[in-house]
Amino acid sequence: MRRAIAMAVGLVLVTGAAAVAYQPGPIVGASEGTSPLTGCTAADGGPGTLYPNTEVEPWLAVNPRNSSNIVGTWQQDRWSSGAARGSTVGVSTDGGATFRSIPVPGQSACTGNPRFTRASDPWVTFSPNGTLYQMSLVETKLSTGVNNPSGMAVNRSTDGGLHWGPAILLADDSDPTLFNDKNSTTADPYDSSFVYAIWDRLDSPPGKGSLKSAENTSGYRGPTFFTRTTDGGTSWETARAIFNLGTNNQTIGNQIVVLPDRSHTLVDLFDLIRNDNKGQAKGYNVAVITSADHGATWSSKATIVSTLNFVQVVDPDTGTALRTGDIVPEVSADPGSGALYAVWQDGRFATGHAHVAFSMSSDGGSTWSAPVRIDGAPLTADAFTPSIAVASDGTVGVAYYDLRANTSAPGLPTSYWFTSCAAACTSPSSWSEVPVGGTFDMEKAPIARGYFLGDYEGIASSGRDFLLLYAVAGTSSNSADVRFARLTP
């Protein structure tokens, strides 16, 4: 069990009439303590350095039938070369006051599946009936750096995450030129029969399946793959490509939300990466496709939300890279109005620095507002890895990291922030922010192509409250822990 470890105390910065004042409660150590995979050596082969007892890249969900049941998931025991020994869930039955760590079975060698040595990109989602789903990328890393095999696995729990059924493979590719990447899963909030799983599958030229290119490069063919269950997780359809840009183009960061309209339209928001200049969309673009029939068919053409201006975040003192959510946009939908909200980190606001961009759509994703900056960091201090959710009253909440506390002294003090808006959210002055917890030293974070805490962090709403599940660097080198915070208006 993990208990409260600190109180966050900070001044709420109210910058406009529409701002909402939120305050964080106790900061809870969701993952502190001994790793539940300690002692497992079944997956210790392959390249890279293992960071035992290190947890990164969390996500979370709240049981709609019992708001005291909060479940997070994260990578457990991260490797420098990608992925982790397995995926763990942190289960709370007391509203986030304490968490119990439970390995997700059958996803990796350390959790009972010798075909895959590692797991990554963990995600959780609750159906309206309280059934819980956890999805992870599963893979084996070979000493040559080739990913072979890779796949997607999903598990189901009917008791709020305390016990899990067997892993079901949604994808399993042995071809070393194929790599399944960056997944998410969404339970339909209006029908417990439907759960949607989505990811990109990278297809590289023979002999070019290096670790770095397999994970993030734009030089591959990378169509969006999708599958669904229509019977509450008993069976899943064969995965298929639903959006394909052709050679040298790809998508990444696919994430589905469901609108409260008559058709319960699915909206998939992602980063569209184009190396050609077709449609004047060369480079990175935030984009959406939609489905009006529970994912049976999808729009053939993507709607561009905005360009995404990539900028590498670095330690301003040493120049060491930070690996952030730099090409992974996030999306949320208002269950009342159906408004769509998107955030991503973007370099358009200050040369050489990342900041948090926000855009919204009031017509189901057909048109979007011009991006505005909503973080409170100075222009010369990077803000990165934003996450977004919408409360029951329509308030929009965004959490993010920034480097505003850094000085020339040793170390890289890093802060986590929460900002919210109740109305007129396309105006930056309508947002107010508050720090969550104290600073931590990013230079203690695990190295995985830069200081790494995750390509995304967890956020959810519960009534008018916002719940955050986020990683912080530990007190020793190459370490990280996951923390939980509840913010109330």
Side-chain angles (χ1 to χ4, degrees), residues 170-181:
L170 308 180
D172 184 357
D173 287 310
S174 296
D175 187 336
T177 67
L178 299 176
F179 184 72
N180 297 280
D181 190 29

Side-chain angles (χ1 to χ4, degrees), residues 409-474:
L412 181 55
T414 304
S415 309
Y416 204 57
W417 290 83
F418 175 81
T419 186
S420 60
C421 171
C425 294
T426 56
S427 171
S429 64
S430 297
W431 294 79
S432 69
E433 65 176 8
V434 61
V436 181
T439 62
F440 60 90
D441 184 1
M442 184 65 83
E443 292 182 358
K444 295 292 196 297
I447 292 288
R449 303 205 317 270
Y451 299 122
F452 180 66
L453 296 176
D455 292 331
Y456 55 84
E457 306 294 325
I459 188 170
S461 64
S462 180
R464 295 185 65 199
D465 293 355
F466 286 93
L467 312 179
L468 308 182
L469 194 70
Y470 62 103
V472 299

Side-chain angles (χ1 to χ4, degrees), residues 88-115:
T88 292
V89 291
V91 180
S92 177
T93 57
D94 53 16
T98 61
F99 286 82
R100 175 183 173 186
S101 294
I102 300 170
V104 182
Q107 293 189 351
S108 65
C110 282
T111 60
N113 187 348
R115 176 164 172 75

Side-chain angles (χ1 to χ4, degrees), residues 32 55 401 416 440 445 453 457 470-474 479-483:
E32 275 83 350
E55 299 87 22
Y401 298 98
Y416 204 57
F440 60 90
L453 296 176
E457 306 294 325
Y470 62 103
V472 299
S479 65
D481 299 303
V482 171
R483 293 181 178 174

